[in-house]
Amino acid sequence: GIQVEQSPPDLILQEGANSTLRCNFSDSVNNLQWFHQNPWGQLINLFYIPSGTKQNGRLSATTVATERYSLLYISSSQTTDSGVYFCAVAPNFGNEKLTFGTGTRLTIIP
Amino acid sequence: DTAVSQTPKYLVTQMGNDKSIKCEQNLGHDTMYWYKQDSKKFLKIMFSYNNKELIINETVPNRFSPKSPDKAHLNLHINSLELGDSAVYFCASSQDLLAYEQYFGPGTRLTVT
């Protein structure tokens, strides 16, 4: 099946810092989503981005489908950004199940 | 207005018991899913249903039986619970099967003692 690798596994930053999270995948995809799992366990949709670039406030994401990676940018980090960020993909010719990466744990220190 | 809801939020039970988790979506979606998140936070699909028809059954023990009474509901029944079933179970839905964004419920934390 498709492989999904996220880096870095852990990231600790001061409030106000910027960060870039990476997701590499092993096959062409027709679905790529970024999620934030907050400290209460909720999975919050950030972006649906199988290709291209999107922005939502302080967050933006870029997927370069031909090179099989996606980047999530967080600018001016806030403590509420803490949690685990997951990338999930579904392959072009699969059965549409999302395969999740192992996540990046982000901790923002006040 | 909750898009994907699950009940209960927490479930504590003893080994050998049978329990059910319910999921409902009010998004008008045709496809629903069950995912399991283990203690290391790894998320993996268990089942998907499209228009009440089972599409994905991801080598889950047959003690787990999903049931979809209608397109808006997907329940998960677990027989003879084992310690290893302790996890957070997430329900999700998407508009249709292919290339659509999936929306997740709040999760049900199951603890088997």
Side-chain angles (χ1 to χ4, degrees):
Chain A
I2 194 167
Q3 305 298 310
V4 185
E5 292 181 358
Q6 290 187 244
S7 59
D10 290 280
L11 192 55
I12 301 174
L13 297 171
Q14 290 284 140
E15 203 168 16
N18 301 330
S19 58
T20 301
L21 282 56
R22 187 176 180 104
C23 172
N24 292 334
F25 42 95
S26 61
D27 208 343
S28 55
V29 300
N30 63 15
N31 188 342
L32 189 147
Q33 293 184 236
W34 281 99
F35 297 90
H36 173 212
Q37 188 165 38
N38 64 22
W40 296 269
Q42 287 180 293
L43 274 169
I44 299 162
N45 287 41
L46 297 178
F47 294 102
Y48 170 73
I49 188 166
S51 64
T53 297
K54 290 187 178 180
Q55 179 154 7
N56 184 1
R58 296 181 296 104
L59 274 60
S60 63
T62 295
T63 298
V64 184
T66 52
E67 296 187 23
R68 299 184 183 169
Y69 72 88
S70 183
L71 301 174
L72 177 69
Y73 305 97
I74 305 173
S75 64
S76 305
S77 298
Q78 300 175 359
T79 55
T80 51
D81 294 331
S82 294
V84 181
Y85 289 79
F86 290 103
C87 168
V89 304
N92 263 348
F93 302 106
N95 52 14
E96 204 47 32
K97 65 175 186 177
L98 278 180
T99 297
F100 280 76
T102 51
T104 292
R105 181 177 295 279
L106 177 65
T107 304
I108 304 299
I109 301 170
Chain B
D1 231 14
T2 305
V4 183
S5 59
Q6 295 178 228
T7 53
K9 191 165 174 56
Y10 300 98
L11 189 50
V12 181
T13 188
Q14 291 184 326
M15 282 175 54
N17 284 350
D18 303 338
K19 290 293 178 187
S20 291
I21 307 171
K22 296 187 176 183
C23 177
E24 177 181 1
Q25 54 95 4
N26 62 7
L27 297 167
H29 288 169
D30 284 349
T31 307
M32 296 184 73
Y33 310 82
W34 279 110
Y35 288 83
K36 178 180 179 180
Q37 186 172 42
D38 63 22
S39 58
K40 295 183 179 177
K41 297 281 195 183
F42 185 63
L43 271 151
K44 188 174 179 186
I45 192 165
M46 300 172 70
F47 302 102
S48 76
Y49 269 74
N50 182 253
N51 279 320
K52 303 194 299 175
E53 180 185 346
L54 180 66
I55 302 298
I56 296 172
N57 181 341
E58 200 64 13
T59 59
V60 176
N62 57 16
R63 298 183 295 103
F64 290 78
S65 52
K67 283 190 174 53
S68 182
D70 55 59
K71 286 197 312 183
H73 296 84
L74 180 62
N75 304 323
L76 184 65
H77 188 75
I78 316 170
N79 290 328
S80 304
L81 277 155
E82 300 177 359
L83 291 176
D85 298 331
S86 295
V88 180
Y89 292 86
F90 285 95
C91 176
S93 74
S94 64
Q95 185 175 334
D96 206 329
L97 264 179
L98 295 176
Y100 289 100
E101 187 171 4
Q102 294 186 23
Y103 296 86
F104 282 71
T108 296
R109 182 175 294 276
L110 171 65
T111 304
V112 183
T113 62

